[in-house]
Amino acid sequence: MLQQTPVARVEPIWHEWVRRWPRPSDLAAESPAEIVRAWGKLGYPRRALRLHECAGILARDHGDVVPEDVEQLLALPGIGTYTARAIACFAYGQAVPVVDTNVRRVIARAVRGEAEPGNPSATRDLREATTITPSRDGAVFAAALMELGAVICTARKPDCPRCPLPRCAWVEAGRPAPTGPKRAGQGYAGTDRQVRGRILDVLRGETGPVERSRIDSAWLRDGVQRDRALGSLLSDGLVEQTSDGRFALAGEGGAD
DNA sequence: TAACCGTGGCC
DNA sequence: TGGCCAAGGTT
């Protein structure tokens, strides 16, 4: 849930989920439709499907328990470099480097003396994080580094007077401005992502299949784009079409 | 490697 | 107002 999503927005939904589905097998027993609906407007709804799929694998192959090993974690859907290490570190106390967007920024500044992390390089990120990760108290260290980036060493307005680090290469260099080319903004208005979001919002608001006209009303300006977005939702497994031609969240369209 | 994948708050 | 950004992952 926390992937590319602020903690404050995730927190209430996470509480609801662990209350409703305390074990992986509880989550796996739900329909994808119910999962996507409970995901609400957290964004990137494919994450919800991957989490659902992951829960099924944990229930079936891992005794309903999240594995401790980074390699095993990486093999699970929706779990990449960051998440695998975060679980190993925070849930199981392993002193493995945990590199998220905050840590990348802190290292870029404090260690390399650069204003911004630059292009992601998993290899370099992990190498640099490894050099500063202590062999003991790995979880405390990782949490502290992430928190430093989230609260003090922020992207827009770093609060250097409150920074606890004894020294920082970026400050010592006179806080130089970013050097590289500014990365292309994500963009959203008018993209397929926005259209997908509109369509999904219609389906989340219903308990069963809806007519094609309801889908069409979600995006009026461009029918080609609307069809493309709907097609991608179908191929992602977020939406399904019923035998009578209507559309629903996957798993609630009735038997097919 | 780069493009794609949501949503909402902040300045 | 609009661009930037957020506990990234997959293809």
Side-chain angles (χ1 to χ4, degrees), chain A residues 10 23 46 87 90 102 119 130 144 149 153 171 179 202 216 231 233-234 243 247 249 254:
Chain A
V10 165
R23 297 167 302 182
R46 292 190 296 191
I87 292 169
F90 298 128
N102 294 301
N119 293 329
T130 300
C153 193
V171 169
T179 54
V202 169
D216 293 347
L233 289 170
L234 288 165
S243 53
F247 296 90
L249 292 180

Side-chain angles (χ1 to χ4, degrees), chain A residues 7-54:
Chain A
V7 175
R9 196 180 311 165
V10 165
E11 198 173 3
I13 298 181
W14 179 81
H15 280 294
E16 169 69 9
W17 278 49
V18 293
R19 183 190 66 75
R20 278 182 77 176
W21 304 299
R23 297 167 302 182
S25 54
D26 298 318
L27 189 67
E30 291 285 351
S31 72
E34 198 52 37
I35 297 299
V36 170
R37 187 167 284 113
W39 191 261
K41 305 195 77 170
L42 268 187
Y44 293 138
R46 292 190 296 191
R47 295 182 296 168
L49 291 186
R50 293 196 190 108
L51 186 49
H52 186 231
E53 182 188 356
C54 182

